[in-house]
Amino acid sequence: MIDVSRRNFLKTTAGAAGLCLIGPSAVVQGLTAEPGQAAGRLLPFPLASVRLGTGIFKEQEEINARYLDSLAVDRLLHTFRLTAGISSSATPYKGWEDPTCELRGHFAGGHYLSGVALASAGSGNSVLKGRGDELVAGLDACQKKIGNRYLSAYPSDLFEHLAQGKSVWAPFYTYHKIMAGLLDMYLLTGNSDALRIAEGMGQWAQDYFVGISIEQRQHMLRTEYGGMNEVLVNLAAVTKNERYIDAAHLFEQPSFLDPLAGRRDELQGLHANTHVPKIIGAARMYEVTGERRYREIAEYFLGEVLAARCYAIGNTSLGEHWGTAPGKLGGTLEWTNAECCVAYNLMKLERLVFGWTGDTRWMDAYERSLFNCRLGTQNAQGLKQYFFPLAAGYWRIYNSPEESFWCCTGSGVEEFAKFADTIYFHRGSDVFVNQFLASTLDWKDEGLVVEQVTDFPREQGTTLKIKASRPGPRTIHIRIPGWTSEEASVKINGRALEAVADPGSYLAIRRNWQAGDTIAVSLPMELRQEPLAGDDSIAAALYGPLVLAADLGAAPTDEAFRVMHSGDTVPKKLPAADPLPKVAADPAAKTGGWIEVESKTDLRFKAAGASAKYELMPMYRIADQRYSVYWQTESAKKQS
Ligand SMILES: [Zn+2]
């Protein structure tokens, strides 16, 4: 196992992992000095400091909250109670929460808790906070009844099956979700019982795992274990108890980490969503222990996956795996692309790595995923997608409200409750404006209130209104995205700045800000195309950060093709994909000269020339249509 120096442990604690602490400080006593200790690092604001304003993200947040509100605590607790020997007459949920499913509890006692904790902190939803408190009390009773600090909705026998090499799904994966949900309830809502329960679970996991030989442990770690290392590091940061660092190290795999430390992409054949969380854990290990090797692993991994393994939408994988050599995505466009959980986890990693450097590339990537493979993957009933089909002619399909409970249902209810968590970061008294979402930042410690007013991306820019600011100079940094043009401009109180930072950097504006000041940012979008890695004849069309999709007509209306009423993730009798739509475009060109803008404000586009029959729109607005994200290009020369 890796021998990690402890010298720096506890110098930096909560870090940028979403461990945003809420007030009052007494709730999280001992960690309130944390931001100052992480000198030089950019940190997110507590979720409670940022509120979404009217707009598409606020609408999606509210839809998600209604879905969370539709679920009953007694039903969520049912299998936990049965496992603990507590009677329950509640009707169990189905799919991956069915009483016979080996993943049961992952959503009911894990993602659900994280979702309601995030909704509570992010939008002040007291009803959902109450649900979370009720669920924590129920889980507390179960853990006490079991009596050895273990807690899950299935008996610990499943871990024995794992140890014995018997077939079992992923017991540690589920265990992680429950611990993470409890920790979120503590950090985001101040429920101290939740921390006690999570600590008990951490101690059980350590005691259990440390008693197993290294060889057997490494064998067990070949089965998906979620972010066990991450949640144990987070527990160490919160409790300042080093034993959880020891426990986190038990969940490390040199066979996976060592090639990455050597900057080698040996990801082919690996399951994507099993492995991204391990890197999030490594990133947190760097933040908490200061051990630089973990940072190098995380930075290399993220850069490599984004550059060599991602599709235009900002997500990766086929059939949940990395099936090819790096940079070889030709022939991989199918129904089972880009599992939504992977986007969720890549975004978590991007915001961590961003905090170390302030490099816009990570926030550009975050934006790409946010607008193309998170926005749009929830329908009007709050139901979520699993795969993101990228073959032509397919459509979106969602989980049923009570019969699926996929992993992506779970990561989705979290994502759609925390859109506000990455819009702004800070370093010292400086503010970083990372994302263009209508919102208000209320930074009480600094006496700063900033309202961001925007209809982005229907509006190509944003306006920041200073509502209050303590006297004295302060720097506001604004992301000038890599996708904008040299025409980007900024006006302060109506007067244009003479120079604006280059696309792909932060513009720093330092002055004595006063209430009433405004910063108007114009970020022109341009059409362009991006080839599929490894096949230059296939390209996606983009406009600013938006991937454009061709509207290929109505999706099937048959219920079986729109909502999955089971734990299955792919509909039965799926028709073959269409051929990619063809366009006369120069594959080597970067500009999307074969697309025309019909309306900037309505975001309507059409293909030009021989392909003029195709209408395009931002992928996030595709709801009930069959679509294509990719195009088969034919050079003008070949056409003639
Ligand atoms: Zn998933």
Side-chain angles (χ1 to χ4, degrees):
M1 298 303 290
I2 300 155
D3 180 23
V4 174
S5 159
R6 304 210 176 160
R7 281 171 313 187
N8 295 320
F9 178 58
L10 303 184
K11 280 189 182 170
T12 60
T13 51
L19 299 186
C20 305
L21 309 176
I22 59 156
S25 57
V27 174
V28 287
Q29 213 163 18
L31 278 179
T32 48
E34 184 273 332
Q37 292 171 339
R41 193 187 306 166
L42 285 71
L43 295 167
F45 285 94
L47 205 46
S49 298
V50 184
R51 286 283 181 269
L52 294 179
T54 303
I56 44 177
F57 287 94
K58 179 79 179 160
E59 285 168 20
Q60 294 299 314
E61 179 187 79
E62 289 173 351
I63 290 169
N64 183 55
R66 284 197 290 277
Y67 174 65
L68 287 167
D69 191 32
S70 75
L71 301 173
V73 170
D74 266 10
R75 297 181 67 184
L76 294 167
L77 279 170
H78 178 73
T79 50
F80 284 94
R81 284 175 168 157
L82 294 187
T83 296
I86 298 172
S87 66
S88 169
S89 58
T91 305
Y93 287 118
K94 294 183 182 172
W96 295 14
E97 283 299 334
D98 187 274
T100 62
C101 180
E102 289 180 342
L103 284 195
R104 62 190 182 273
H106 77 110
F107 182 95
H111 290 297
Y112 183 85
L113 277 184
S114 292
V116 297
L118 289 161
S120 169
S123 61
N125 191 322
S126 57
V127 172
L128 290 182
K129 179 184 182 309
R131 296 286 173 74
D133 288 339
E134 200 183 333
L135 187 52
V136 169
L139 293 173
D140 193 12
C142 291
Q143 190 185 41
K144 283 174 176 156
K145 184 79 194 305
I146 293 169
N148 63 353
R149 295 172 296 185
Y150 176 80
L151 175 66
S152 193
Y154 47 76
S156 56
D157 298 5
L158 292 198
F159 290 93
E160 288 308 308
H161 293 181
L162 187 64
Q164 293 159 14
K166 292 182 185 170
S167 172
V168 62
W169 197 338
F172 274 123
Y173 170 93
T174 304
Y175 204 82
H176 157 243
K177 302 300 175 227
I178 300 165
M179 286 186 70
L182 289 162
L183 208 48
D184 284 339
M185 277 300 292
Y186 170 66
L187 287 164
L188 295 163
T189 80
N191 186 318
S192 55
D193 290 338
L195 177 61
R196 175 174 45 77
I197 303 166
E199 276 211 81
M201 290 183 72
Q203 289 162 15
W204 181 89
Q206 183 177 25
D207 292 346
Y208 174 77
F209 221 29
V210 83
I212 291 172
S213 72
I214 291 173
E215 293 73 23
Q216 193 175 7
R217 221 161 42 218
Q218 288 300 313
H219 187 79
M220 292 168 77
L221 292 179
R222 290 163 65 178
T223 296
E224 187 170 7
Y225 58 88
M228 277 302 296
N229 57 340
E230 180 206 357
V231 76
L232 287 163
V233 173
N234 289 344
L235 198 55
V238 169
T239 61
K240 303 193 180 220
N241 187 339
E242 289 192 32
R243 71 170 288 176
Y244 301 118
I245 292 289
D246 294 338
H249 284 312
L250 299 176
F251 288 90
E252 280 178 10
Q253 291 169 282
S255 61
F256 172 56
L257 298 179
D258 289 353
L260 296 170
R263 303 182 66 79
R264 295 195 307 279
D265 180 340
E266 296 182 5
L267 302 176
Q268 186 169 352
L270 296 183
H271 182 261
N273 199 47
T274 292
H275 288 84
V276 185
K278 297 175 186 179
I279 302 297
I280 296 171
R284 286 293 294 140
M285 189 66 92
Y286 160 66
E287 292 195 338
V288 172
T289 66
E291 180 67 34
R292 205 172 169 85
R293 179 175 186 269
Y294 292 104
R295 171 174 171 167
E296 288 162 2
I297 287 170
E299 286 180 325
Y300 169 73
F301 172 88
L302 182 58
E304 176 67 9
V305 169
L306 292 178
R309 297 189 173 278
C310 267
Y311 301 100
I313 56 170
N315 198 3
T316 180
S317 73
L318 167 64
E320 304 188 10
H321 286 71
W322 291 302
T324 67
K328 303 286 182 194
L329 298 183
T332 67
L333 303 179
E334 298 195 18
W335 177 280
T336 58
N337 289 121
E339 181 192 347
C340 285
C341 280
V342 181
Y344 166 87
N345 280 313
L346 283 175
M347 289 165 74
K348 274 181 81 168
L349 187 56
E350 283 156 2
R351 73 194 289 275
L352 283 172
V353 174
F354 169 74
W356 306 339
T357 60
D359 188 336
T360 45
R361 79 186 274 215
W362 310 121
M363 279 299 118
D364 282 5
Y366 190 96
E367 178 185 58
R368 182 78 74 95
S369 298
L370 183 64
F371 279 90
N372 299 295
C373 52
R374 298 324 328 254
L375 201 58
T377 59
Q378 169 178 262
N379 75 3
Q381 287 75 49
L383 311 178
K384 312 296 191 296
Q385 271 180 253
Y386 190 99
F387 289 117
F388 194 131
L390 289 173
Y394 285 146
W395 58 91
R396 299 185 190 272
I397 191 165
Y398 307 94
N399 63 264
S400 58
E402 301 185 358
E403 299 162 309
S404 305
F405 293 104
W406 302 322
C407 49
C408 298
T409 316
S411 54
V413 300
E414 295 182 26
E415 186 74 61
F416 283 75
K418 68 178 185 71
F419 288 132
D421 78 349
T422 306
I423 304 172
Y424 308 99
F425 268 47
H426 64 94
R427 182 175 59 198
S429 63
D430 287 7
V431 175
F432 288 74
V433 181
N434 301 323
Q435 300 296 335
F436 311 120
L437 277 63
S439 55
T440 298
L441 165 68
D442 185 355
W443 191 3
K444 290 199 165 50
D445 289 349
E446 287 282 329
L448 181 73
V449 180
V450 180
E451 183 184 10
Q452 182 172 182
V453 181
T454 182
D455 195 21
F456 185 90
R458 294 162 70 100
E459 174 189 348
Q460 299 188 7
T462 192
T463 301
L464 301 164
K465 296 183 175 180
I466 311 298
K467 298 289 188 179
S469 182
R470 193 174 286 172
R474 175 200 309 282
T475 306
I476 296 179
H477 305 252
I478 300 165
R479 182 172 63 97
I480 307 298
W483 48 255
T484 194
S485 72
E486 301 294 333
E487 307 301 312
S489 63
V490 174
K491 288 180 181 172
I492 297 175
N493 299 332
R495 292 187 57 181
L497 290 186
E498 284 181 15
V500 172
D502 291 336
S505 60
Y506 274 82
L507 170 67
I509 311 170
R510 184 168 182 82
R511 58 184 270 150
N512 286 303
W513 298 101
Q514 295 179 346
D517 285 345
T518 62
I519 310 172
V521 185
S522 171
L523 301 168
M525 296 183 190
E526 294 180 329
L527 290 165
R528 67 187 191 283
Q529 66 187 46
E530 271 185 15
L532 179 70
D535 187 345
D536 286 348
S537 76
I538 293 175
L542 290 98
Y543 188 60
L546 306 172
V547 171
L548 304 182
D551 178 351
L552 300 181
T557 52
D558 182 345
E559 174 79 357
F561 279 135
R562 301 312 308 279
V563 175
M564 297 300 293
H565 289 280
S566 70
D568 291 348
T569 55
V570 181
K572 293 183 172 65
K573 298 181 183 169
L574 195 64
D578 291 350
L580 293 178
K582 290 183 180 174
V583 289
D586 178 356
K590 288 203 169 141
T591 57
W594 48 276
I595 323 160
E596 294 174 358
V597 180
E598 283 203 312
S599 168
K600 274 187 185 181
T601 49
D602 290 345
L603 294 170
R604 285 188 288 109
F605 308 84
K606 66 176 183 183
S611 308
K613 62 182 177 178
Y614 293 110
E615 301 277 337
L616 292 86
M617 66 177 80
M619 184 63 219
Y620 78 82
R621 282 177 41 190
I622 294 278
D624 298 316
Q625 300 97 316
R626 300 187 310 118
Y627 62 85
S628 184
V629 160
Y630 280 101
W631 302 73
Q632 183 69 54
T633 63
E634 297 173 331
S635 72
K637 202 173 170 186
K638 209 162 128 192
Q639 286 269 304
S640 61

PDB file of all heavy atoms in Angstrom, residues 273 339 341 386 407-408 411, ligand 1:
ATOM      1  N   ASN A 273     -17.715   4.213 -14.783  1.00  0.00           N
ATOM      2  CA  ASN A 273     -18.239   4.785 -13.542  1.00  0.00           C
ATOM      3  C   ASN A 273     -17.727   4.087 -12.293  1.00  0.00           C
ATOM      4  O   ASN A 273     -17.942   4.545 -11.185  1.00  0.00           O
ATOM      5  CB  ASN A 273     -19.774   4.787 -13.548  1.00  0.00           C
ATOM      6  CG  ASN A 273     -20.304   5.769 -12.531  1.00  0.00           C
ATOM      7  OD1 ASN A 273     -19.845   6.899 -12.455  1.00  0.00           O
ATOM      8  ND2 ASN A 273     -21.241   5.320 -11.700  1.00  0.00           N
ATOM      9  N   GLU A 339     -23.002   7.001 -19.934  1.00  0.00           N
ATOM     10  CA  GLU A 339     -23.846   6.846 -18.740  1.00  0.00           C
ATOM     11  C   GLU A 339     -23.850   8.160 -17.947  1.00  0.00           C
ATOM     12  O   GLU A 339     -22.797   8.751 -17.688  1.00  0.00           O
ATOM     13  CB  GLU A 339     -23.294   5.709 -17.873  1.00  0.00           C
ATOM     14  CG  GLU A 339     -24.140   5.483 -16.643  1.00  0.00           C
ATOM     15  CD  GLU A 339     -23.470   4.569 -15.611  1.00  0.00           C
ATOM     16  OE1 GLU A 339     -22.463   3.917 -15.936  1.00  0.00           O
ATOM     17  OE2 GLU A 339     -23.971   4.528 -14.474  1.00  0.00           O
ATOM     18  N   CYS A 341     -24.229   8.993 -14.854  1.00  0.00           N
ATOM     19  CA  CYS A 341     -23.431   9.064 -13.622  1.00  0.00           C
ATOM     20  C   CYS A 341     -21.994   9.496 -13.909  1.00  0.00           C
ATOM     21  O   CYS A 341     -21.349  10.119 -13.065  1.00  0.00           O
ATOM     22  CB  CYS A 341     -23.331   7.691 -12.954  1.00  0.00           C
ATOM     23  SG  CYS A 341     -24.754   7.219 -11.999  1.00  0.00           S
ATOM     24  N   TYR A 386     -30.474   7.306 -18.183  1.00  0.00           N
ATOM     25  CA  TYR A 386     -29.333   6.456 -17.804  1.00  0.00           C
ATOM     26  C   TYR A 386     -28.254   6.615 -18.877  1.00  0.00           C
ATOM     27  O   TYR A 386     -27.300   7.339 -18.685  1.00  0.00           O
ATOM     28  CB  TYR A 386     -29.784   5.001 -17.674  1.00  0.00           C
ATOM     29  CG  TYR A 386     -28.750   4.084 -17.071  1.00  0.00           C
ATOM     30  CD1 TYR A 386     -28.794   3.736 -15.718  1.00  0.00           C
ATOM     31  CD2 TYR A 386     -27.734   3.543 -17.843  1.00  0.00           C
ATOM     32  CE1 TYR A 386     -27.843   2.889 -15.166  1.00  0.00           C
ATOM     33  CE2 TYR A 386     -26.778   2.699 -17.295  1.00  0.00           C
ATOM     34  CZ  TYR A 386     -26.833   2.374 -15.958  1.00  0.00           C
ATOM     35  OH  TYR A 386     -25.883   1.550 -15.411  1.00  0.00           O
ATOM     36  N   CYS A 407     -28.651   3.869 -10.655  1.00  0.00           N
ATOM     37  CA  CYS A 407     -27.595   4.743 -10.147  1.00  0.00           C
ATOM     38  C   CYS A 407     -27.772   6.159 -10.689  1.00  0.00           C
ATOM     39  O   CYS A 407     -27.558   7.144  -9.980  1.00  0.00           O
ATOM     40  CB  CYS A 407     -26.226   4.187 -10.543  1.00  0.00           C
ATOM     41  SG  CYS A 407     -26.093   3.745 -12.291  1.00  0.00           S
ATOM     42  N   CYS A 408     -28.168   6.248 -11.978  1.00  0.00           N
ATOM     43  CA  CYS A 408     -28.294   7.571 -12.605  1.00  0.00           C
ATOM     44  C   CYS A 408     -29.519   8.332 -12.091  1.00  0.00           C
ATOM     45  O   CYS A 408     -29.531   9.569 -12.146  1.00  0.00           O
ATOM     46  CB  CYS A 408     -28.355   7.444 -14.119  1.00  0.00           C
ATOM     47  SG  CYS A 408     -26.873   6.707 -14.833  1.00  0.00           S
ATOM     48  N   SER A 411     -27.633   9.789  -8.929  1.00  0.00           N
ATOM     49  CA  SER A 411     -26.714  10.912  -9.163  1.00  0.00           C
ATOM     50  C   SER A 411     -27.480  12.084  -9.774  1.00  0.00           C
ATOM     51  O   SER A 411     -27.141  13.243  -9.558  1.00  0.00           O
ATOM     52  CB  SER A 411     -25.532  10.487 -10.045  1.00  0.00           C
ATOM     53  OG  SER A 411     -25.978   9.899 -11.243  1.00  0.00           O
TER      54      SER A 411
HETATM   55 ZN    ZN B   1     -25.507   5.588 -13.458  1.00  0.00          ZN
END
